Amino acid sequence: MKRKNVMTALLATTLSLSVVSSSALANQVTPTDQSIVLDIKPPEFFIGNGQNKKNFFVNETKLNAINHIEGFENTKILKGIHNGAGYWIEVPKNWNGKLVLYAHGYRGTGQELTVTEPSIRKELLERGYAWAASSYSTNGYDVESGVKDTHALNGLFRNLVGNPTRTYIIGQSMGGHVTGVYAEQYGDVDGALPMCGVMGDSELFDFFTDYSLVAQSLIGISKENQQFLADDEYFAKTVPELREKLGNGLVYNSATKSYVFKNLTSLGEKLEKVTENLSGGDRPLFEISFRTMFDDFLLQRIPTNPAYGEATGNVINNTDSVYQLDNDPALSDEEKLLNDSIRRITNDPNGRHNNGLAAIPKVTGDLKVPTVSLHTLGDLYVPFSMEQIYAKNAAEKGKSDLLVSRAIRGIGHCEFTNKEQIDALDALVDWAENGNKPKGDNVLDPTVVADPRFGTQFTSQLRPYDPLFLVGK
């Protein structure tokens, strides 16, 4: 059962997050009070769907700005534009013959294309790996371009540098989605490491929609009047009403640098419980995450374009969503009323595809190579349930033997230490090359996931907001 008395005030004590080093964490703000810094505010997500794909350009000034890092001044750096996508390649002097492809996350819908280095660049070079990263030839939630452009870069590396003895692909957030699809579609990698990935593909957008519809239902908006597509009036009138009736308005949380509900009403507590069950079930750190970062953030994730700028029809489907107020799978009378009160949306037939790269490509779970996947427990931007969906799909395909899931005790999106990332890659490489399957976490057993110590096995450093950190365990 859920632990009701987790104090969100825990965040106010010694909150510096020096353990976070992932480049996926956007909108970092220079603090004025180092004692309460927790720079893990989620970036804006899926705003302004739809774009003109003909007008993208690589910012060549930024493309040429890559420099050697200290201690690796003799690496060979290659940069350029290939098939409309910018790229960086770096090969250390002591190259071990292996290549790591890096897939970046969502970049918004602007026209400027930029390349990002992996946050574990130094650790890769220390181990002798070459790495390569693409800007992709588009922005937006365009997984297809991410997959194809990274595949093209893999081929370009062979032309410019030579054939690697082994190739691995890693990626974060949307880049995790790219990584999962790439490894299923192509046979030219030896292992995959998706991190904080959208491994449930379109079900992420169902989650955003679920949150908004449940919130509207709880405050008394009838099924017929519930919006699953937002317009200006929704943000101007409905969202303020939701904030007041669910959270008594908003307050600024200086630790996470986010506006959150001031304090949950009884209706807000119901929304919290439904969200917990939708996002991965009873687990450590959920309450801290929801109340200090994500409760209001998720209200604003309601779609404005049901095709998300990529599909040719609505991708959203909540006909199979079950909204629960407790941990008992059997629906109570109150839960039956709640489920009956929520508008149901069916995706267009051309909005989702079970195969191929079109629209929002599906991660089928039909794994071809050893795969290690990381996810933070409190992530509600791309929730922990994505990891569970991935594991379920792999099991249904009979491919559980090729998947290792690891839970990390963090609340931020892609909030991994470099050690957590490189440890996972080291384990993946040993598995792919020597047959030593690494340990992982059982993300599908609700009892295991609900254990207060769940996620400690692969968390390299407890975050200061973690109750286990505060009690010294």
Side-chain angles (χ1 to χ4, degrees):
M1 294 297 292
K2 185 175 178 181
R3 294 159 296 284
K4 290 288 186 182
N5 295 321
V6 175
M7 301 279 295
T8 56
L10 296 175
L11 277 168
T13 59
T14 57
L15 286 183
S16 68
L17 196 61
S18 58
V19 297
V20 177
S21 53
S22 170
S23 61
L25 305 184
N27 296 341
Q28 303 280 340
V29 178
T30 302
T32 57
D33 182 355
Q34 292 289 343
S35 68
I36 57 169
V37 177
L38 188 62
D39 285 336
I40 49 180
K41 180 181 178 182
E44 290 299 319
F45 197 45
F46 304 130
I47 302 295
N49 299 126
Q51 56 190 318
N52 185 343
K53 294 189 176 185
K54 297 180 180 180
N55 294 328
F56 292 105
F57 68 95
V58 176
N59 185 318
E60 296 195 44
T61 299
K62 293 181 180 179
L63 181 69
N64 294 322
I66 183 172
N67 295 309
H68 292 96
I69 59 177
E70 184 177 356
F72 298 93
E73 292 81 3
N74 294 324
T75 64
K76 181 179 182 181
I77 294 178
L78 304 173
K79 52 200 173 185
I81 301 174
H82 183 61
N83 294 341
Y87 69 84
W88 285 341
I89 293 172
E90 185 170 24
V91 184
K93 191 173 182 180
N94 63 332
W95 184 32
N96 62 12
K98 302 171 189 178
L99 169 65
V100 173
L101 299 168
Y102 174 67
H104 72 71
Y106 180 74
R107 288 281 174 77
T109 55
Q111 303 300 319
E112 179 183 302
L113 304 172
T114 56
V115 187
T116 302
E117 66 184 47
S119 58
I120 53 172
R121 176 185 177 188
K122 181 180 179 182
E123 288 81 0
L124 293 176
L125 296 175
E126 286 174 341
R127 287 160 173 74
Y129 291 102
W131 63 269
S134 171
S135 70
Y136 314 152
S137 55
T138 65
N139 285 323
Y141 202 83
D142 192 350
V143 174
E144 179 179 4
S145 289
V147 171
K148 289 182 176 179
D149 293 330
T150 302
H151 183 246
L153 179 58
N154 193 4
L156 181 65
F157 180 93
R158 286 156 168 74
N159 291 334
L160 297 178
V161 179
N163 293 328
T165 58
R166 298 276 184 168
T167 302
Y168 300 93
I169 182 168
I170 68 175
Q172 296 181 339
S173 194
M174 188 189 84
H177 192 167
V178 170
T179 297
V181 172
Y182 186 114
E184 291 182 0
Q185 293 285 331
Y186 296 112
D188 57 2
V189 293
D190 297 281
L193 175 57
M195 296 176 277
C196 49
V198 186
M199 313 314 291
D201 47 79
S202 297
E203 293 198 43
L204 174 63
F205 313 127
D206 296 346
F207 170 70
F208 292 153
T209 304
D210 283 331
Y211 188 85
S212 175
L213 292 176
V214 171
Q216 292 177 67
S217 173
L218 286 171
I219 71 165
I221 298 177
S222 66
K223 182 188 302 186
E224 304 78 46
N225 292 320
Q226 290 166 16
Q227 291 184 243
F228 92 98
L229 294 179
D231 52 22
D232 290 342
E233 184 175 359
Y234 176 85
F235 288 113
K237 294 183 179 180
T238 305
V239 169
E241 182 182 6
L242 291 167
R243 288 168 172 164
E244 190 61 36
K245 292 183 177 180
L246 297 169
N248 286 311
L250 295 181
V251 65
Y252 182 70
N253 187 301
S254 59
T256 60
K257 303 190 185 306
S258 303
Y259 281 96
V260 294
F261 294 163
K262 188 177 295 183
N263 50 72
L264 295 181
T265 64
S266 60
L267 296 177
E269 290 177 349
K270 290 182 179 181
L271 177 62
E272 178 182 42
K273 190 59 189 182
V274 171
T275 305
E276 180 180 63
N277 285 317
L278 289 173
S279 64
D282 185 18
R283 61 195 186 278
L285 302 181
F286 169 81
E287 185 176 292
I288 294 175
S289 173
F290 184 83
R291 297 190 180 194
T292 65
M293 183 183 295
F294 286 106
D295 51 14
D296 183 66
F297 173 82
L298 288 172
L299 279 186
Q300 301 171 67
R301 303 283 72 76
I302 181 173
T304 57
N305 178 340
Y308 281 91
E310 299 302 329
T312 55
N314 170 41
V315 305
I316 296 163
N317 188 326
N318 73 332
T319 59
D320 57 351
S321 294
V322 178
Y323 307 109
Q324 294 189 275
L325 298 167
D326 56 32
N327 297 323
D328 184 352
L331 292 182
S332 66
D333 290 341
E334 183 182 11
E335 288 170 333
K336 290 177 182 178
L337 288 174
L338 175 63
N339 280 268
D340 289 343
S341 72
I342 294 174
R343 181 179 179 182
R344 300 292 175 162
I345 311 299
T346 302
N347 66 280
D348 293 335
N350 57 347
R352 295 191 179 189
H353 301 267
N354 290 326
N355 298 292
L357 295 176
I360 310 295
K362 187 171 181 60
V363 184
T364 67
D366 189 13
L367 306 180
K368 304 296 193 300
V369 295
T371 301
V372 176
S373 187
L374 301 184
H375 223 106
T376 54
L377 288 171
D379 189 358
L380 293 176
Y381 177 29
V382 177
F384 187 68
S385 55
M386 295 288 105
E387 196 68 33
Q388 295 167 323
I389 292 169
Y390 195 31
K392 289 177 183 176
N393 288 343
E396 289 173 359
K397 295 290 186 179
K399 297 298 180 69
S400 293
D401 60 321
L402 287 174
L403 177 63
V404 168
S405 302
R406 290 184 171 183
I408 303 298
R409 291 180 69 95
I411 66 174
H413 179 52
C414 303
E415 186 200 332
F416 306 115
T417 66
N418 280 22
K419 179 172 173 51
E420 288 157 358
Q421 296 176 70
I422 200 63
D423 282 354
L425 181 62
D426 287 344
L428 174 66
V429 171
D430 185 43
W431 183 12
E433 299 180 12
N434 303 313
N436 300 319
K437 185 175 181 178
K439 294 181 179 179
D441 288 308
N442 184 349
V443 301
L444 296 181
D445 186 329
T447 302
V448 172
V449 174
D451 189 301
R453 295 189 59 80
F454 182 65
T456 56
Q457 187 174 10
F458 303 106
T459 299
S460 68
Q461 183 175 344
L462 291 175
R463 282 50 166 173
Y465 53 78
D466 192 319
L468 296 184
F469 176 91
L470 295 173
V471 297
K473 295 182 179 180

